[in-house]
């Protein structure tokens, strides 16, 4: 059974940094395109960033471009999201998601991702 474990969320002041991690077991991680989504209270879930299974393609939402960096370590079956210069509007539950192969050339579409984590809360205080 596939297990998805996210970590790294927490409470941070505006301008601070956090690094989210997502480790997936029982899955050939290297063959999966990965993404981070987030959902703030009262808002729809949005795709924040994705990285292709080969690592050659990536995408960032305009709201996080230049501040967030997505990366992956296939030897550790782990996806990362380095978040710098955090803003109160970054406050949300962050989810990692996986889809077999595919591409990452634009906003990740939720329905294409078939493996999801339970989420990790990020709260940015002003």
């Amino acid at each position: 059974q596939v297990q998805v474990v996210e970590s790294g969320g927490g409470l941070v002041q505006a301008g601070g940094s956090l690094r989210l991690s997502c480790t997936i077991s029982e899955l050939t991680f290297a063959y999966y395109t990965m993404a981070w989504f987030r959902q703030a209270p009262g808002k729809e879930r949005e795709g924040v960033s994705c990285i292709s299974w080969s690592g050659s393609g990536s995408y960032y939402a305009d709201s996080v471009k230049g501040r967030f960096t997505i990366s992956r370590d296939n030897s550790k079956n782990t996806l990362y999201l380095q978040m710098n210069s955090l803003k109160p509007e970054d406050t949300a539950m962050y989810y990692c998601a996986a889809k077999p192969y595919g591409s990452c050339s634009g906003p990740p579409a939720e329905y294409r991702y078939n493996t999801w984590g339970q989420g990790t809360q990020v709260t940015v205080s002003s």
Side-chain angles (χ1 to χ4, degrees):
Q1 183 176 355
V2 175
Q3 288 189 319
V4 183
V5 179
E6 294 141 325
S7 61
L11 174 63
V12 64
Q13 288 188 331
S17 298
L18 287 173
R19 189 177 80 154
L20 305 184
S21 299
C22 170
T23 301
I24 303 182
S25 64
E26 303 302 325
L27 181 150
T28 309
F29 184 79
Y31 297 156
Y32 279 72
T33 288
M34 302 296 299
W36 288 99
F37 292 82
R38 69 184 181 185
Q39 187 168 22
K43 295 188 177 181
E44 293 187 354
R45 189 153 54 185
E46 63 169 335
V48 174
S49 180
C50 60
I51 184 168
S52 65
W53 63 275
S54 64
S56 61
S58 63
Y59 161 85
Y60 295 93
D62 287 344
S63 58
V64 306
K65 201 172 294 183
R67 300 187 298 120
F68 290 11
T69 302
I70 193 170
S71 62
R72 62 190 298 158
D73 185 340
N74 289 346
S75 69
K76 296 181 179 179
N77 276 26
T78 300
L79 174 74
Y80 301 100
L81 185 68
Q82 178 66 44
M83 305 186 296
N84 299 328
S85 302
L86 283 161
K87 304 175 181 180
E89 51 263 44
D90 294 318
T91 295
M93 185 72 79
Y94 284 72
Y95 300 89
C96 76
K99 66 175 181 178
Y101 294 106
S103 65
C104 168
S105 56
E110 282 190 53
Y111 72 93
R112 294 190 180 275
Y113 289 78
N114 58 5
T115 300
W116 289 79
Q118 77 286 356
T120 185
Q121 178 68 37
V122 172
T123 302
V124 185
S125 63
S126 57

